[in-house]
Amino acid sequence: GADTRSNNILGAGAAYVVFGKTSGWSGSLETSALTDDTRAHGYDVYGKTTNAAYGWSVAAADVNGDGAFDVVGGAYLGHGNNATFHANAGEVVVSFGVFPVSKCDPGYYLPSYPLGSSAECVLCTAGYRCSGVGSRIPCTRGASLPLTPAGSTRCGCASAHYLGGVRCVQCSRGNCESGQYRATCSPTVDGECTTCSTSCQAGFYLTGVSCLPNSDLGCNACTVGQCSAGFFRNLRLCGATADGECRQCAIAGCSDGYYRTACTQSADGICLLYPNTPTSITVQTAVRFDGQRPEWFLQYNTAEAFKR
């Protein structure tokens, strides 16, 4: 890093990237070799604001996990961009590295990388990840060797860890606020505080009234049937946090002209009107001309019944 270097911007600072080679370099290398147009030996990166002092600290890391090393430069007097200007607040600038071509298939690497040809690619070593660009990247702390076997393109993290970028990070364990639970940590995503479920879709009910610190309330399907003889499952009671209960079938008789349907496993018997049952009755009298007793007859809507 050269934090006092000026290019078109006074005191912006700079960092120099030197390409490695298997034969090594001589005792010294002029920075002019890194700033020419050929870019044969490396290149330079400049700060973007006046007196930012970019290059005060410089590191190389695969920040975005693509297998290529990126340049991470500190500008301790940087001002931020125009939208978030803060005088001398400091900045960290990441310059993403790229590969012109992939030299190997995913899961393979080139031992002589960056030299060599694709014919020399070999299987990625266990405990390393190889994206296929040619390099191999060691899986860092928190990684589990059995989960990162030979030929891996991504690091496999041990239990209670997730892959955060290029390294394994321990999953969060803290408790969440009331009404929340911490979701399970996945291989690539940390467990976050998530709002507990409060309802289920029709035909399901919640398994409790409050979720546990590390698990949400589940939704169970309402039970259908499975009641003893003479009982039915009242599905109308299933919902919120309770399953439908088994209720005794009704045995009371129905009103005149009605009958009770059969009680099933999912519904009680109900009273229904008999088919063709009259809804009104008209009583009429008539006197016979032969002097006999009066004749009574009942008239039911469209049908008639006579009684002598």
Side-chain angles (χ1 to χ4, degrees):
D3 59 293
T4 60
R5 178 75 182 273
S6 298
N7 188 14
N8 295 326
I9 303 175
L10 179 65
Y16 298 99
V17 178
V18 181
F19 296 148
K21 59 180 183 178
T22 55
S23 61
W25 290 99
S26 59
S28 62
L29 177 68
E30 294 293 332
T31 57
S32 59
L34 306 176
T35 58
D36 60 23
D37 293 335
T38 64
R39 298 293 193 266
H41 304 298
Y43 60 93
D44 54 348
V45 182
Y46 282 92
K48 62 179 182 177
T49 56
T50 302
N51 296 323
Y54 173 76
W56 176 265
S57 57
V58 181
D62 184 6
V63 177
N64 59 353
D66 64 355
F69 281 105
D70 310 308
V71 179
V72 183
Y76 78 99
L77 295 177
H79 308 314
N81 57 37
N82 293 333
T84 58
F85 181 88
H86 296 286
N88 301 333
E91 294 177 294
V92 174
V93 182
V94 179
S95 302
F96 292 128
V98 297
F99 291 94
V101 293
S102 293
K103 293 194 172 185
C104 303
D105 292 329
Y108 289 77
Y109 77 104
L110 192 61
S112 59
Y113 179 82
L115 303 179
S117 65
S118 58
E120 303 172 46
C121 293
V122 296
L123 187 67
C124 190
T125 310
Y128 289 76
R129 62 183 180 88
C130 302
S131 63
V133 296
S135 62
R136 64 172 183 170
I137 310 297
C139 294
T140 56
R141 63 185 180 86
S144 176
L145 185 60
L147 297 178
T148 313
S152 296
T153 58
R154 305 193 68 171
C155 293
C157 296
S159 176
H161 289 76
Y162 70 97
L163 186 63
V166 297
R167 66 188 184 92
C168 293
V169 183
Q170 188 173 28
C171 298
S172 299
R173 296 180 178 179
N175 292 331
C176 300
E177 297 179 358
S178 177
Q180 294 183 327
Y181 72 99
R182 187 168 295 281
T184 302
C185 183
S186 74
T188 57
V189 180
D190 191 13
E192 299 181 348
C193 289
T194 307
T195 302
C196 299
S197 299
T198 57
S199 61
C200 300
Q201 61 180 342
F204 290 79
Y205 68 97
L206 290 173
T207 57
V209 295
S210 62
C211 56
L212 299 175
N214 295 314
S215 63
D216 190 17
L217 291 171
C219 287
N220 284 353
C222 297
T223 305
V224 178
Q226 301 181 14
C227 295
S228 303
F231 289 80
F232 72 99
R233 177 81 60 180
N234 192 340
L235 295 179
R236 289 181 298 178
L237 299 179
C238 181
T241 59
D243 194 7
E245 298 178 353
C246 287
R247 296 288 183 89
Q248 187 174 16
C249 298
I251 57 176
C254 298
S255 302
D256 292 342
Y258 288 78
Y259 70 99
R260 185 175 295 280
T261 60
C263 179
T264 67
Q265 282 287 309
S266 59
D268 193 12
I270 60 174
C271 292
L272 293 179
L273 185 68
Y274 275 113
N276 301 323
T277 298
T279 57
S280 63
I281 298 177
T282 301
V283 178
Q284 297 182 354
T285 61
V287 178
R288 295 173 62 95
F289 293 103
D290 58 3
Q292 301 297 321
R293 59 187 177 85
E295 176 183 335
W296 297 79
F297 70 92
L298 305 178
Q299 182 177 8
Y300 301 86
N301 291 341
T302 59
E304 294 184 349
F306 294 89
K307 179 179 179 183
R308 295 182 179 272

